[in-house]
Amino acid sequence: MFGIYLKRELGRRKKAALVIALGLALGIALVITVNSVSAGMTQAQDKVLKSLYGLGTDMTVTKAQSAPKAGSSQGPNFKFDAKSSSKTTQSSDRVMTQGGQALASSLVTKVAAQKGVAEAVGAITLNVTKVDGSFTQGKAQSSTSGSSQQQGGPGGGTGSSSGGQPQVQGGGANFSVNSYSVAGIDVTNQDLGPLATSKITSGKTFTASQTDAKVAVISKSYAKSKKYKVGSTFKISGTKFTVIGIATPDSSESTTDVFIPLKQAQTLGDSKNKVTTIYVKATDSKQISTVKKTIQKNISGTTVTTSADLASTVSGSLSTASNLATSVGKWLSIAVLAAAFLVAALLTSSAVSRRVREFGTLKALGWPSRKVTRQVVGESMVNGLIGGGLGIALGLAAAYAVTAISPKLTAQLGNTGGGGGMGGGPGGGGPGQQSASSTMEIALSAPVSLTTIALAVGLAVTGGLIAGAMGGWRASRMRPADALRSVS
């Protein structure tokens, strides 16, 4: 009886039911779209952080760079052979550590022993500035111009001179400067640290036995610019390295050009038994903040930076879009939903007021108030579910459109301050001055999760209940006498 009556009544009021359903559908579709875009923003931000931070890395431990002493020079210093002949090519490398003050390698073991730490590895980041070029020696020549005038002797006379002091003509220098980044990694654990963000697309990666081998893995972009391939050799400060693999970043362009074993990097940077960054993986991702406090408490003088700390430094259009989706989008969704629920409730209540004769007659035939209320609520629930179905369809279509278009967003990672930030240096090898210029482009997607679908269904049911509750309450107050008064 309930189902038959429900079907007949909804069929009689198709327009009213459609208006209610569409109102709920628009609100639900907006919620799905905003939640999906917000999820896409989170994924995009995770790509940015992982590409600079290291896959599987939960935090990094660094130490802020100490202030330079008065009178000390921090600029590059190159020395060349002054006895070289004319047009002889000169070349010099200057290798400097980056990413804050160097830490003792023994701290890696100490950090790994802290409560809540699953594993920790050390890495060192270097910046190599290479200067190549040549000097050209000038030639001394005497002036032979007859028109040159000389101040005369006593009496102030002037006269012509057929000779003069020798002058050096020609000569000079022509040098090119090339700067690139080098990351020294622990080859025994490559799943944590700078190389974890890339995959080997040509050649092979390091083996556990190559802890002090003169081999290197280079980034795809650097290999292309230098025309290197597997088997090529190059020198850093006189040490020859052989390319064994070419790495391609998983999610963005890497800022590390060369990866070499940690011991070799320590030797090049004159930093024996030193690291600039310690990469840490926690046993429980939900306890990262607790682990951070533990490390800071037990290992003084260090800066512990988590992905949450780094996320606050991400700027660019990604950050702007994320803020809009989080604040404006969600508040707009709430406002539209509230309006949709209110409109549905008012339309349902208005429909009930036009059914005075119907409900009064049903009560006169013996229907109790609860049965009349159940009938109105049932009709509203069906309207809500129809609106939910339409809203899910519209929301999925909008999310699919965003994913298909894939708008490009830029993300720029700023310094976290004090030299203690992470991911700013080359290849995510810890903090560094290059972080301010680390900009990447991310394609936005709008993934729809089952949780979002469940939320949409819940909102549809809620909207139907709110509308049905208001209409049912009004219907339950009607009396058979009201039906008789409505008969003309």
Side-chain angles (χ1 to χ4, degrees):
M1 179 65 182
F2 172 78
I4 296 174
Y5 189 69
L6 177 65
K7 181 180 179 181
R8 185 174 63 85
E9 290 302 317
L10 289 175
R12 289 173 53 192
R13 284 178 291 275
K14 291 180 181 179
K15 290 184 179 179
L18 185 60
V19 170
I20 295 173
L22 285 177
L24 293 173
L26 291 175
I28 292 170
L30 184 59
V31 170
I32 292 176
T33 304
V34 170
N35 274 273
S36 300
V37 172
S38 296
M41 298 293 179
T42 302
Q43 285 187 359
Q45 193 174 70
D46 287 343
K47 287 182 180 180
V48 175
L49 300 182
K50 286 179 180 179
S51 64
L52 298 170
Y53 195 29
L55 295 174
T57 305
D58 293 317
M59 64 194 79
T60 56
V61 180
T62 56
K63 188 173 184 179
Q65 192 70 264
S66 58
K69 296 181 181 179
S72 63
S73 175
Q74 299 295 317
N77 181 25
F78 296 95
K79 296 181 180 179
F80 298 102
D81 186 2
K83 296 180 181 180
S84 60
S85 61
S86 174
K87 296 184 179 180
T88 299
T89 300
Q90 310 282 344
S91 179
S92 179
D93 289 346
R94 187 172 193 268
V95 181
M96 294 182 63
T97 58
Q98 283 195 190
Q101 191 173 342
L103 301 167
S105 297
S106 58
L107 279 181
V108 178
T109 304
K110 189 174 181 181
V111 169
Q114 299 300 306
K115 183 179 179 181
V117 175
E119 54 183 332
V121 298
I124 189 169
T125 304
L126 306 175
N127 180 264
V128 181
T129 304
K130 188 177 188 67
V131 176
D132 289 296
S134 62
F135 293 107
T136 302
Q137 187 175 3
K139 295 182 179 180
Q141 296 181 355
S142 298
S143 175
T144 58
S145 173
S147 61
S148 60
Q149 300 291 324
Q150 290 185 341
Q151 187 69 30
T158 61
S160 299
S161 173
S162 60
Q165 295 293 329
Q167 297 180 353
V168 177
Q169 296 183 359
N174 183 16
F175 283 86
S176 62
V177 180
N178 175 35
S179 181
Y180 59 96
S181 58
V182 178
I185 67 170
D186 185 350
V187 298
T188 62
N189 188 352
Q190 300 176 48
D191 294 331
L192 191 62
L195 193 54
T197 62
S198 302
K199 60 183 177 181
I200 305 300
T201 52
S202 180
K204 58 184 179 180
T205 188
F206 304 101
T207 62
S209 62
Q210 293 177 318
T211 54
D212 198 19
K214 295 179 176 64
V215 292
V217 172
I218 60 177
S219 68
K220 182 179 179 180
S221 59
Y222 189 69
K224 184 178 180 180
S225 65
K226 294 297 180 181
K227 297 182 180 180
Y228 288 155
K229 58 183 179 180
V230 175
S232 298
T233 59
F234 63 94
K235 288 184 178 181
I236 304 177
S237 290
T239 302
K240 181 184 289 187
F241 289 88
T242 302
V243 177
I244 62 171
I246 296 176
T248 302
D250 289 330
S251 57
S252 66
E253 192 65 25
S254 174
T255 52
T256 295
D257 299 312
V258 179
F259 301 91
I260 60 176
L262 180 59
K263 286 187 178 180
Q264 284 293 328
Q266 290 171 334
T267 301
L268 291 173
D270 195 20
S271 301
K272 186 178 180 180
N273 297 324
K274 298 287 186 179
V275 296
T276 54
T277 308
I278 301 174
Y279 293 83
V280 181
K281 183 178 181 180
T283 54
D284 185 357
S285 60
K286 297 180 181 179
Q287 299 297 322
I288 291 177
S289 59
T290 303
V291 177
K292 174 182 176 179
K293 292 178 182 178
T294 301
I295 295 175
Q296 287 178 324
K297 178 181 178 182
N298 297 334
I299 305 177
S300 60
T302 59
T303 301
V304 183
T305 312
T306 67
S307 56
D309 300 326
L310 189 60
S312 62
T313 70
V314 176
S315 59
S317 62
L318 174 61
S319 177
T320 303
S322 180
N323 291 336
L324 286 174
T326 302
S327 55
V328 178
K330 288 187 176 180
W331 282 112
L332 180 61
S333 298
I334 292 173
V336 171
L337 272 178
F341 289 168
L342 180 61
V343 169
L346 292 176
L347 288 176
T348 303
S349 179
S350 176
V352 168
S353 65
R354 292 194 298 270
R355 299 166 66 184
V356 174
R357 182 187 305 175
E358 175 186 338
F359 289 129
T361 303
L362 290 174
K363 283 196 170 187
L365 294 175
W367 276 39
S369 296
R370 66 176 181 277
K371 194 171 182 179
V372 174
T373 302
R374 186 184 68 175
Q375 187 68 39
V376 175
V377 171
E379 294 173 8
S380 298
M381 285 293 296
V382 171
N383 288 334
L385 291 176
I386 294 174
L390 291 173
I392 291 173
L394 291 174
L396 290 175
Y400 177 79
V402 172
T403 303
I405 296 172
S406 295
K408 302 294 183 181
L409 299 176
T410 58
Q412 184 173 357
L413 189 69
N415 240 329
T416 54
M422 67 187 179
Q433 295 180 2
Q434 291 190 6
S435 61
S437 60
S438 179
T439 303
M440 57 196 65
E441 197 173 69
I442 302 293
L444 177 65
S445 62
V448 181
S449 64
L450 292 177
T451 303
T452 303
I453 298 297
L455 174 63
V457 174
L459 291 174
V461 172
T462 301
L465 286 174
I466 292 175
M470 181 175 289
W473 173 78
R474 186 163 186 176
S476 65
R477 293 170 60 85
M478 292 182 179
R479 298 172 298 172
D482 296 329
L484 296 175
R485 282 198 300 269
S486 65
V487 177
S488 55

